[in-house]
Amino acid sequence: MPDAVRTAAVRAVLIMSLTIIQAMVAFLSTLTGSWLAFPMVLSSVASTVVATWAVLDVWVTRQVWNQRHGVVSEPSSTARQMRRQRRRAQRAARAAERDESGGRIRGRRNAGDLSRTGDLSRTGDLSRTGDLSRA
């Protein structure tokens, strides 16, 4: 987390904890009927507004930091250039491998062996396809 965002977050946590303590004191003094109850309730309402502002400050500070210092998503970005270079290298390696093997696809020994591909329509054996109307 960047320093500005961390500072805003620490400030927000401190303000929120003080607001919770203040609300608890207001509640307990209201239960006891103390003269301090009314001023504490008023200050708790004001503290709640300030705590909400502090949390929004964290969010705004984070957004501003990301805009100023984040990764810019443009075509000229370094990350995109590196991906583009990596893809070119992979294509070149595949092309070199293809040229080296003579253009054959690896793993296929008999290109004419139709039983491996599962294509029964070329063999003329229609009884295995379930279409008995043509047989």
Side-chain angles (χ1 to χ4, degrees):
M1 188 181 306
D3 285 340
V5 179
R6 185 179 299 121
T7 304
V10 168
R11 187 177 347 151
V13 167
L14 289 174
I15 291 172
M16 285 174 45
S17 63
L18 288 175
T19 301
I20 291 171
I21 291 170
Q22 208 170 15
M24 193 60 133
V25 169
F27 176 72
L28 292 175
S29 61
T30 303
L31 285 180
T32 59
S34 173
W35 64 270
L36 196 61
F38 184 68
M40 287 302 290
V41 168
L42 288 180
S43 66
S44 292
V45 170
S47 291
T48 303
V49 172
V50 172
T52 305
W53 185 266
V55 171
L56 283 174
D57 181 46
V58 173
W59 183 69
V60 168
T61 305
R62 184 175 170 271
Q63 295 296 324
V64 168
W65 195 91
N66 281 338
Q67 278 186 346
R68 289 184 183 164
H69 306 290
V71 175
V72 179
S73 180
E74 293 179 359
S76 63
S77 173
T78 306
R80 288 192 183 190
Q81 283 178 351
M82 291 175 63
R83 270 197 310 262
R84 210 175 284 134
Q85 288 173 354
R86 198 174 336 134
R87 273 187 253 136
R88 283 184 189 137
Q90 287 172 349
R91 282 190 209 117
R94 281 194 301 254
E97 185 178 320
R98 217 176 305 132
D99 292 341
E100 194 176 280
S101 66
R104 287 186 41 206
I105 300 173
R106 288 188 322 226
R108 292 187 69 183
R109 293 183 188 97
N110 268 336
D113 189 8
L114 296 176
S115 63
R116 286 180 180 243
T117 61
D119 188 7
L120 297 174
S121 62
R122 287 195 226 158
T123 62
D125 186 9
L126 297 175
S127 62
R128 294 173 74 192
T129 62
D131 187 11
L132 297 177
S133 62
R134 290 193 208 169

